[in-house]
RNA sequence: CGGGUUGUGGCGCAGCUUGGUCAGCGCGCUCGCUUUGGGAGCGAGAUGUCGCGGGUUCGAAUCCCGCCAACCCGACCA
């Protein structure tokens, strides 16, 4: 393959786009890989399409060698299957729906669990047909409230989704393991430094769930690692170690007048000033903060729910929603309408609504909390004695330095990442919904269990750009660079002709080649563009052409070496992906 | 969904306060000549429904109303 810059649909921008913030977005636009075409929708220009296709090829290769079979479903689907699985409502506003000319409801699919399940139901009937692993590349649609970051979060994006169907739990776990390994190979091959973290499965439903996060400052996911063990988790999935049971030796509950203390800070200050309970060492962590939220279950009436967390912590709404999924939660503030709930002075004792507590609010722990009367708080409020939560919930914010639940020794560190892959065991959620049964070897019906495995392909382009750039531009990993070598004709005197000739030679030897043969463009411009575009190797055909020498530049290391023209293919090939 | 900021040639911006040679600048683009190893020089050009709709006015990029879009922030605590 040989591309000539003089004819390539490419326009690099000298100046920054005004509204591009994140590095990948800025650079991909400036270097001429993508262009915005719609809110949350991007056109892949020739260079961008080449990268996308190379990533696609890597994924396809690994999926096939993991035993996958490729199919392709429509993106435009009727409502019924999603009605059956309940996702028409559960997916909420994120689902991009439309009506056809007859008024019938359709959707532009956000993922394709339903269609894969129906296909397998349609085409299998016997245990002999299993196990099955299917995958596709497909444009997915989500009606994002706020697309951002260019390719990082769009309303339309390319995704590889795969689904495994097994008749045994062991088979399903094995499929999960194979896909997990395949994903590691994919991300390693395309040059993404990634961490596998425990996750929640969200609106897709399911149990065991892990995310592949590419570390990047602009990532929307926060994940934790452990200083001692190799535990890693999305903050949404972090579990809080339950403190050792405390003997219930606390003195009886006592109510105090605590005027003007609607906030934890004011309460702690007053408690110390007045030596509440004979102490002057109260801290926010001794208090129990009770937050009321309105929970919206899809297709059901909203419910009021109180959440109890130690007073030194905020409620993390993302963690809360993950814990309540598929329901969504909003902070409740209509206290005028609920006289039972005294804003700023809520306590769990005798509360009339459902009450879920942080795991730290373990039986036997004693708290300073609201007395459910204006201007009054209670001390020695003991969990399990003075109140019993309706359950525990992981909704409190996670902080660096929190103890690790996995090993019990280390503490948590926090980083940000881009979700580039998500794998989870779906179980029978969809095979149940569609009543998929096949005949087992014993003649009895068996219901397949599923796994679901997704990779954001277009997002991966941006993730790679986030991880591989410098102040001059992009620095593509060799395995997915749009081409292997960028030949720059630096000057005059037949250098363009020589560059094209060299390009043709390299191309015949199987390399992907881009030749900057633009006439009347100065060498400086060509060098700057080459660095912006970020091809791993550049070959400069320039002033020593007469001696048969050209310069090879490594984009990443900036290293320059002069080599005889005849050796170029060998040197490039040694490093090409 | 809320808040903030912004919409003026392909890109980046000025002009708006105080309505009337305000349709302007830089980059890019076209043509010619020169130049050619680090975003070249000179000369000559082309490109605008000033986001959209309505209103005020003799006259609107500029003032008023409505809408749309983009970007950023927040999805905020007892």
């Amino acid at each position: 393959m040989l591309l000539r810059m003089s004819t390539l649909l490419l326009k690099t921008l000298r100046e920054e786009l005004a509204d591009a913030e994140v590095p990948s977005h800025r650079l991909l636009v400036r270097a001429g890989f993508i262009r915005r075409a719609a809110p949350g929708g991007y056109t892949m220009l020739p260079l961008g399409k080449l990268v996308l296709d190379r990533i696609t090829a890597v994924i396809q290769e690994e999926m096939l060698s993991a035993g996958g079979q490729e199919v392709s479903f429509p993106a435009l689907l009727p409502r019924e299957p999603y009605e059956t699985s309940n996702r028409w409502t559960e997916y909420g506003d994120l689902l991009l729906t439309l009506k056809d000319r007859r008024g019938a409801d359709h959707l532009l699919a956000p993922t394709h669990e339903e269609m894969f399940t129906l296909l397998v139901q349609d085409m299998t009937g016997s245990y002999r047909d299993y196990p099955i692993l299917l995958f596709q590349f497909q444009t997915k649609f989500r009606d994002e409230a706020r697309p951002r970051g260019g390719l990082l979060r769009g309303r339309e994006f390319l995704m590889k989704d795969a689904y495994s169907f097994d008749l045994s739990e062991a088979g399903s776990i094995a499929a999960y393991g194979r896909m997990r390994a395949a994903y590691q190979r994919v991300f390693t091959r395309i040059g993404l430094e990634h961490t596998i973290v425990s996750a929640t499965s969200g609106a897709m439903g399911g149990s065991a769930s892990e995310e592949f996060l590419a570390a990047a400052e602009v990532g929307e996911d926060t994940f934790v690692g452990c200083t001692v063990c190799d535990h890693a988790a999305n903050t949404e999935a972090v579990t809080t170690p339950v403190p050792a049971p405390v003997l219930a030796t606390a003195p009886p509950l006592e109510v105090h007048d605590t005027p003007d203390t609607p906030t934890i800070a004011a309460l702690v200050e007053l408690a110390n000033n007045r030596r509440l309970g004979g102490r002057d060492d109260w801290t926010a962590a001794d208090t129990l903060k009770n937050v009321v939220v309105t929970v919206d279950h899809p297709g059901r009436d909203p419910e009021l729910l109180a959440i109890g967390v130690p007073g030194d912590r905020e409620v993390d709404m993302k963690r809360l929603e993950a814990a309540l999924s598929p329901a969504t939660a909003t902070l409740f503030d209509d206290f005028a309408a609920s006289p039972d709930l005294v804003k700023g002075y809520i306590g769990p004792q005798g509360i009339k609504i459902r009450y879920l507590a942080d795991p730290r609010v373990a039986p036997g722990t004693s708290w300073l909390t609201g007395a459910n009367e204006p201007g009054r708080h209670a001390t020695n409020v003991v969990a399990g004695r003075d109140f019993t939560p309706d359950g525990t919930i992981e909704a409190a914010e996670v902080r660096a330095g929190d103890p690790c639940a996995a090993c019990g020794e280390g503490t948590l560190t926090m980083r940000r990442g881009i979700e580039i892959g998500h794998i989870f065991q779906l179980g029978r959620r969809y095979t149940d919904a569609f009543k998929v049964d096949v005949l087992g070897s014993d003649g009895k019906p068996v219901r397949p269990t599923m796994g679901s495995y997704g990779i954001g392909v277009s997002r991966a382009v941006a993730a790679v750009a986030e991880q591989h750039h410098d102040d001059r531009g992009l620095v593509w990993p060799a395995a997915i660079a749009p081409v292997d070598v960028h030949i720059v004709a630096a000057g005059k005197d037949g250098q363009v002709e020589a560059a094209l000739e060299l390009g043709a030679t390299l191309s015949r030897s199987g390399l992907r080649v881009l030749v900057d043969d633009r006439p009347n463009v100065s060498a400086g411009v060509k060098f700057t563009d080459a660095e912006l575009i970020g091809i791993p190797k550049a070959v400069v055909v320039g002033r020593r052409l007469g001696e048969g020498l050209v310069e090879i530049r490594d984009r990443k290391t900036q290293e320059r070496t002069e080599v005889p023209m005849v050796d170029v293919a060998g040197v490039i090939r040694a490093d090409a992906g």
Side-chain angles (χ1 to χ4, degrees):
Chain A
M1 181 182 85
L2 188 148
L3 300 174
R4 297 175 60 156
M5 209 119 142
S6 57
T7 55
L8 186 64
L9 187 64
L10 171 73
K11 168 89 79 180
T12 58
L13 303 179
R14 186 183 298 206
E15 293 178 89
E16 294 291 351
L17 230 56
D19 49 15
E21 282 295 313
V22 304
S24 61
H25 185 195
R26 283 201 328 256
L27 289 169
L28 288 170
V29 172
R30 269 194 66 208
F33 285 71
I34 61 170
R35 192 155 279 214
R36 199 185 83 89
Y42 286 82
T43 303
M44 284 286 166
L45 298 175
L47 291 182
K49 175 69 169 143
L50 286 169
V51 173
L52 188 72
D53 285 351
R54 291 200 73 187
I55 293 178
T56 300
V58 169
I59 297 169
Q60 185 183 46
E61 223 177 279
E62 293 295 346
M63 288 302 109
L64 290 172
S65 59
Q69 305 182 60
E70 186 169 1
V71 296
S72 181
F73 288 100
L76 178 66
L77 299 171
R79 170 173 180 161
E80 293 81 67
Y82 286 76
E83 192 72 65
T84 305
S85 67
N86 215 24
R87 284 211 300 172
W88 182 266
T89 46
E90 266 185 21
Y91 219 86
D93 292 336
L94 264 185
L95 199 65
L96 196 57
T97 60
L98 51 95
K99 283 185 191 296
D100 67 13
R101 65 172 79 196
R102 293 182 183 133
D105 285 317
H106 297 265
L107 62 94
L108 290 166
T111 61
H112 280 73
E113 281 81 355
E114 287 81 355
M115 303 315 291
F116 278 90
T117 307
L118 284 169
L119 179 70
V120 165
Q121 177 179 48
D122 200 29
M123 296 193 65
T124 68
S126 154
Y127 73 97
R128 294 176 193 276
D129 298 323
Y130 288 78
I132 300 171
L133 178 64
L134 298 174
F135 72 98
Q136 71 165 344
F137 290 90
Q138 177 60 278
T139 303
K140 307 287 182 176
F141 297 86
R142 296 191 188 167
D143 194 359
E144 293 286 349
R146 188 182 147 203
R148 69 190 85 182
L151 253 27
L152 285 176
R153 175 171 295 278
R155 285 150 59 95
E156 179 180 335
F157 55 96
L158 184 65
M159 184 183 194
K160 187 283 305 174
D161 51 338
Y163 304 89
S164 61
F165 296 82
D166 284 274
L167 297 185
S168 71
E169 204 58 35
S172 181
I173 290 168
Y176 183 91
R178 271 202 312 282
M179 291 305 276
R180 192 178 194 272
Y183 272 37
Q184 287 177 282
R185 283 193 298 273
V186 165
F187 295 127
T188 301
R189 282 180 64 186
I190 68 175
L192 279 175
E193 187 226 315
H194 61 278
T195 305
I196 303 176
V197 304
S198 315
T200 53
S201 47
M204 262 68 71
S207 51
S209 173
E210 289 175 298
E211 281 172 4
F212 289 73
L213 298 182
E217 280 177 30
V218 299
E220 294 186 84
D221 288 81
T222 307
F223 66 102
V224 302
C226 173
T227 52
V228 173
C229 68
D230 61 0
H231 173 68
N234 194 306
T235 48
E236 291 173 19
V238 167
T239 53
T240 306
V242 179
V246 179
L247 294 176
T249 53
L253 182 149
E254 229 180 293
V255 175
H256 307 269
D257 281 322
T258 56
D260 300 322
T261 54
T263 65
I264 296 291
L267 173 62
V268 169
E269 193 186 340
L270 179 136
N272 284 327
N273 287 344
R274 299 228 184 139
R275 298 185 59 83
L276 235 53
R279 292 172 57 180
D280 62 0
D281 59 349
W282 293 99
T283 68
D286 299 317
T287 68
L288 178 58
K289 176 158 73 180
N290 303 292
V291 178
V292 181
V293 295
T294 307
V295 181
D296 280 297
H297 300 274
R300 279 204 271 147
D301 286 340
E303 173 206 17
L304 280 189
L305 173 69
I307 309 289
V309 297
D312 61 330
R313 294 193 185 248
E314 310 289 346
V315 169
D316 181 330
M317 293 303 281
K318 278 188 181 156
R319 273 176 45 81
L320 175 63
E321 294 211 332
L324 296 172
S325 179
T328 57
T330 45
L331 215 55
F332 173 80
D333 59 2
D334 192 12
F335 287 91
S338 301
D340 285 351
L341 297 170
V342 187
K343 184 176 166 70
Y345 301 93
I346 298 171
Q349 59 285 13
I351 197 163
K352 301 243 172 40
I353 57 177
R354 196 154 75 98
Y355 183 78
L356 299 176
D358 186 84
R360 295 174 191 83
V361 188
T365 52
S366 174
W367 302 90
L368 167 57
T369 192
N372 294 315
E373 297 173 61
R376 306 194 85 189
H377 280 87
T379 53
N380 305 321
V381 182
V382 175
R385 183 190 73 183
D386 302 310
F387 70 97
T388 304
D390 299 308
T392 61
I393 189 165
E394 291 285 359
E397 64 173 323
V398 174
R399 290 192 202 138
D402 284 350
C404 171
C407 65
E409 291 174 34
T411 56
L412 301 180
T413 56
M414 300 185 79
R415 283 205 289 167
R416 297 185 70 78
I418 300 164
E419 182 186 347
I420 43 173
H422 195 170
I423 57 177
F424 51 98
Q425 294 180 260
L426 273 176
R428 296 192 175 84
R429 153 143 198 199
Y430 292 91
T431 45
D432 280 346
F434 294 100
K435 300 187 169 49
V436 181
D437 285 309
V438 297
L439 277 185
S441 56
D442 56 1
K444 290 179 182 163
V446 190
R447 186 154 289 180
T449 181
M450 290 171 63
S452 166
Y453 319 93
I455 293 179
V457 186
S458 48
R459 178 183 277 182
V461 175
V464 172
E466 285 297 334
Q467 289 190 354
H468 300 277
H469 69 268
D470 60 22
D471 54 358
R472 295 183 180 197
L474 297 160
V475 186
W476 293 106
I480 59 161
V483 296
D484 303 311
V485 56
H486 185 152
I487 302 176
V488 175
K492 47 187 176 178
D493 302 332
Q495 289 171 7
V496 166
E497 292 70 23
L500 284 168
E501 211 173 296
L502 175 62
T505 307
L506 297 184
S507 174
R508 273 194 302 274
S509 81
L511 288 167
R512 304 172 180 83
V513 186
L514 172 64
V515 181
D516 194 343
D517 59 339
R518 291 175 293 178
N520 304 319
V521 173
S522 72
V525 172
K526 292 183 178 177
F527 293 152
T528 312
D529 275 346
E531 281 157 352
L532 181 59
I533 293 167
I535 304 306
K537 297 287 182 186
V539 176
V540 181
V541 178
R543 55 191 160 210
R544 301 196 69 184
L545 175 62
E547 305 156 57
L549 291 177
V550 295
E551 182 179 287
I552 296 185
R553 298 183 178 185
D554 187 284
R555 175 62 184 86
K556 188 181 172 116
T557 64
Q558 309 276 348
E559 189 185 343
R560 304 177 183 192
T561 46
E562 293 210 303
V563 301
M565 194 110 100
V566 292
D567 295 345
V568 171
V571 175
I572 302 288
R573 186 167 302 286
D575 293 320

